[in-house]
Amino acid sequence: VTEKGLDRSKILGVGIGAPGIVDYNRGIILDFAIAHQLVDIHLKDYLWERTGWEIAIDNNANTRALGEYWYGFGAGCQNLIYVICSEGVGNGIIIDGKVLRGKNNFTTGLGHMIVNSDGRLCNCGRHGCIEAYSSTEALEKNTQEALKNGLKSLLLEKAGTQFEKVDYSLICHCAEAGDSLCLQMLEEAAYYLSIGLSNQIGSFNPELIVLSGTLFDASATFFERVKTLTLEKIFSPLAGGVIIKKRQVRDNLYEVGAATLVFKSFFND
Ligand SMILES: [Zn+2]
């Protein structure tokens, strides 16, 4: 604030979207998704004591869903699901204009929805979670494993036998060039995510699903396959008509969504 020369009296508060499990009411990050050794971070109190500003913290999928709801594709729509596929998989759900939180504010756990009970081992210790297929980390791990098992791919020309160099962006690049292994790995990632999404459509009847994250940014094929496979699986006619869109990369809705937490608190809504 000092560096930018901002007027402190014009700052209403600070809104934060954090990856992981967040106790929204108390402003505590219970489990920080990108550094699991960090638990029970009392960020709200910490920042309030040092600034005196109103501080509001939520899971980043929820804040991104709020950004989309207020100012993005969701403007005018009351029911939406916002999905992130990056190092992990998560989602924020808005129903009847409100963030769906549940008892522990953990309706963002799409990544650990089991979609294949005999399937791949997930970081959480269980088998067949969406995150074991559709995160960038899983895509890399599963593709590297296929290469170690001797499957042929354009990836071998790019990375040689240094399989650890095979990252999600190289996989997506080779898939766009028509490499069959890369296409197969993206198809697997899309397939299992689509099971989870179609189940959520059946459960929540959203008008809109926004797909975001580095994996969607890296691969148009992945987006198209997730969209097609999800729409194919929708059971109830009531769930039909849902619109599936990809997040516009160059927007600032991440930040705006977090800021709306403060507006909400300010207006006591
Ligand atoms: Zn899991």
Side-chain angles (χ1 to χ4, degrees), residues 115-221:
V115 285
N116 180 8
S117 59
D118 299 321
R120 293 187 187 273
L121 181 64
C122 181
N123 286 335
C124 74
R126 302 178 309 156
H127 284 267
C129 297
I130 290 175
E131 201 161 289
Y133 298 94
S134 316
S135 65
T136 53
E137 188 187 308
L139 180 69
E140 290 164 0
K141 186 176 150 212
N142 300 340
T143 308
Q144 289 168 8
E145 198 176 286
L147 292 172
K148 283 175 196 160
N149 288 335
L151 292 182
K152 299 287 170 242
S153 168
L154 187 57
L155 292 168
L156 296 169
E157 283 176 30
K158 305 274 183 190
T161 52
Q162 292 179 291
F163 298 143
E164 70 282 359
K165 284 191 176 171
V166 171
D167 64 9
Y168 77 91
S169 72
L170 185 59
I171 296 165
C172 294
H173 175 76
C174 290
E176 299 303 325
D179 182 72
S180 62
L181 176 66
C182 294
L183 285 167
Q184 185 190 322
M185 299 313 294
L186 278 180
E187 182 73 8
E188 182 184 69
Y191 173 75
Y192 285 110
L193 179 60
S194 76
I195 294 177
L197 288 180
S198 62
N199 286 338
Q200 290 214 319
I201 291 169
S203 301
F204 299 113
N205 190 202
E207 299 154 67
L208 172 70
I209 292 187
V210 181
L211 302 175
S212 77
T214 47
L215 194 47
F216 284 110
D217 293 343
S219 173
T221 301

Side-chain angles (χ1 to χ4, degrees), residues 5-266:
L6 300 176
D7 180 352
R8 287 181 65 92
S9 68
K10 289 190 175 165
I11 294 175
L12 207 56
V14 178
I16 298 167
I21 305 175
V22 177
D23 182 330
Y24 171 72
N25 292 320
R26 295 191 296 156
I28 302 170
I29 301 173
L30 299 172
D31 181 353
F32 195 36
I34 51 177
H36 288 291
Q37 68 276 21
L38 297 177
V39 294
D40 266 336
I41 310 166
H42 290 239
L43 193 58
K44 182 174 181 171
D45 288 348
Y46 180 89
L47 292 175
W48 180 79
E49 282 162 13
R50 282 157 182 78
T51 65
W53 287 322
E54 172 78 33
I55 309 289
I57 305 163
D58 203 348
N59 172 274
N60 65 337
N62 284 346
T63 55
R64 292 176 189 191
L66 281 167
E68 209 65 57
Y69 170 73
W70 283 107
Y71 300 104
F73 290 133
C77 124
Q78 291 296 296
N79 304 283
L80 71 89
I81 297 177
Y82 189 94
V83 178
I84 304 171
C85 272
S86 294
E87 293 89 351
V89 176
N91 68 327
I93 302 171
I94 291 181
I95 296 296
D96 296 334
K98 294 200 163 155
V99 175
L100 190 68
R101 298 190 184 283
K103 179 171 175 279
N104 295 322
N105 193 32
F106 194 55
T107 57
T108 53
L110 178 69
H112 297 286
M113 179 191 285
I114 292 175
V115 285
N116 180 8
S117 59
D118 299 321
R120 293 187 187 273
L121 181 64
C122 181
N123 286 335
C124 74
R126 302 178 309 156
H127 284 267
C129 297
I130 290 175
E131 201 161 289
Y133 298 94
S134 316
S135 65
T136 53
E137 188 187 308
L139 180 69
E140 290 164 0
K141 186 176 150 212
N142 300 340
T143 308
Q144 289 168 8
E145 198 176 286
L147 292 172
K148 283 175 196 160
N149 288 335
L151 292 182
K152 299 287 170 242
S153 168
L154 187 57
L155 292 168
L156 296 169
E157 283 176 30
K158 305 274 183 190
T161 52
Q162 292 179 291
F163 298 143
E164 70 282 359
K165 284 191 176 171
V166 171
D167 64 9
Y168 77 91
S169 72
L170 185 59
I171 296 165
C172 294
H173 175 76
C174 290
E176 299 303 325
D179 182 72
S180 62
L181 176 66
C182 294
L183 285 167
Q184 185 190 322
M185 299 313 294
L186 278 180
E187 182 73 8
E188 182 184 69
Y191 173 75
Y192 285 110
L193 179 60
S194 76
I195 294 177
L197 288 180
S198 62
N199 286 338
Q200 290 214 319
I201 291 169
S203 301
F204 299 113
N205 190 202
E207 299 154 67
L208 172 70
I209 292 187
V210 181
L211 302 175
S212 77
T214 47
L215 194 47
F216 284 110
D217 293 343
S219 173
T221 301
F222 181 62
F223 169 72
E224 288 303 330
R225 291 305 293 152
V226 170
K227 183 176 171 181
T228 302
L229 291 167
T230 301
L231 292 174
E232 278 174 10
K233 290 183 186 67
I234 298 175
F235 171 67
S236 165
L238 288 174
V242 62
I243 294 167
I244 300 179
K245 291 197 173 195
K246 187 164 127 178
R247 178 211 169 207
Q248 289 181 318
V249 177
R250 296 185 190 284
D251 64 33
N252 63 350
L253 296 179
Y254 285 3
E255 296 82 358
V256 170
T260 65
L261 294 175
V262 179
F263 301 153
K264 189 175 161 61
S265 160
F266 182 74

